[in-house]
Amino acid sequence: MELHIADHPLIAHKLTVLRDERTDPGRFRGLTEELVALLAYEATRNIRVVDKEINTPVCPMTGTKLSSPRPVVVPILRAGLGMLDGMLKMLPTAEVGFLGLVRDEETLEAHAYANRLPSDLRDRQVFVIDPMLATGGTLAMAIDFLLERGVSDVTAICLVSAPEGVRHIEERYEGIANVTVHTAALDEKLNEKGYIVPGLGDAGDRMYGVV
Ligand code: URA
């Protein structure tokens, strides 16, 4: 597994405002979108492209365009939905699949309640978006669904990650699949309730309110 931890003052600044408990849901959603767009810049560095012939007003030239098939973006509901607009600003032609996964707050195990993925994902570049990489259980379940559909490499974009979750993904997919994680921060640890410390609390609740 490849881990990329963003090292940019603008990302650090925006993430600090996001973490602050006084930041309201509207601002939280706006910052999430901005952070995803910044992380997507690096996370798409290896996106597949082909040459494209065009004419500028001055002369013909060979430019670049994203290759077919289109990349796929998969937000993990509910909180991953808050990252979708930022991602689609960077990749407006991407196809979008949805995975609804919820974590049992007692056992911290992930359960799937929705799965709307294209059935054949062979040769597709897939970007999973989920703000919090905590135990890694949810991301692992998402990656397993994708591998079942023929995906061979997955890029996950997370805002905040815990060392426990990173280790889980690293160990589980070693020698099995190419997994790359881009995160704005690698925090200290998980607490006894499975929250990332210092983290930012429950990302879904902070975006959309407590359910
Ligand atoms: N999910 C969240 O929303 N926050 C955490 O800290 C861990 C998992």
Side-chain angles (χ1 to χ4, degrees):
M1 193 201 86
E2 254 183 66
L3 176 68
H4 295 263
I5 305 165
D7 178 20
H8 195 289
L10 206 51
I11 292 181
H13 167 80
K14 287 178 192 293
L15 184 61
T16 302
V17 183
L18 196 78
R19 290 181 190 273
D20 192 325
E21 63 181 3
R22 296 167 303 179
T23 299
D24 65 40
R27 181 99 179 96
F28 192 96
R29 289 193 300 270
L31 282 163
T32 297
E33 199 177 313
E34 290 170 23
L35 278 163
V36 174
L38 292 169
L39 291 172
Y41 176 74
E42 267 308 308
T44 53
R45 184 165 287 283
N46 294 321
I47 203 155
R48 291 182 208 127
V49 291
V50 290
D51 287 351
K52 181 177 165 70
E53 304 303 327
I54 59 160
N55 295 305
T56 75
V58 180
C59 66
M61 70 162 278
T62 305
T64 301
K65 70 168 188 172
L66 295 185
S67 69
S68 285
R70 297 178 286 158
V72 180
V73 175
V74 179
I76 300 182
L77 310 183
R78 155 176 83 126
L81 211 48
M83 299 170 76
L84 185 58
D85 282 353
M87 199 62 197
L88 290 181
K89 275 204 176 122
M90 294 294 113
L91 284 178
T93 57
E95 199 173 336
V96 181
F98 293 91
L99 278 177
L101 307 181
V102 67
R103 192 170 74 144
D104 183 309
E105 292 304 331
E106 297 285 309
T107 63
L108 302 183
E109 301 258 318
H111 298 279
Y113 63 89
N115 181 344
R116 301 284 293 175
L117 291 175
S119 55
D120 186 357
L121 285 169
R122 270 172 300 173
D123 292 332
R124 305 296 292 271
Q125 285 190 296
V126 180
F127 297 89
V128 176
I129 46 178
D130 191 10
M132 310 302 275
L133 173 51
T135 62
T138 306
L139 181 58
M141 186 174 260
I143 294 172
D144 288 348
F145 279 125
L146 295 168
L147 297 184
E148 274 171 23
R149 284 165 170 74
V151 175
S152 55
D153 67 83
V154 178
T155 300
I157 302 181
C158 305
L159 299 181
V160 181
S161 302
E164 293 87 336
V166 168
R167 220 165 21 246
H168 181 150
I169 299 297
E170 213 159 37
E171 288 170 4
R172 187 175 174 118
Y173 297 104
E174 176 75 49
I176 294 178
N178 293 326
V179 178
T180 306
V181 175
H182 285 261
T183 185
L186 182 62
D187 275 10
E188 195 187 319
K189 59 176 183 183
L190 293 180
N191 69 13
E192 65 291 346
K193 290 184 172 158
Y195 279 87
I196 299 177
V197 179
L200 48 74
D202 186 301
D205 287 354
R206 295 208 54 197
M207 281 174 194
Y208 304 116
V210 181
V211 287

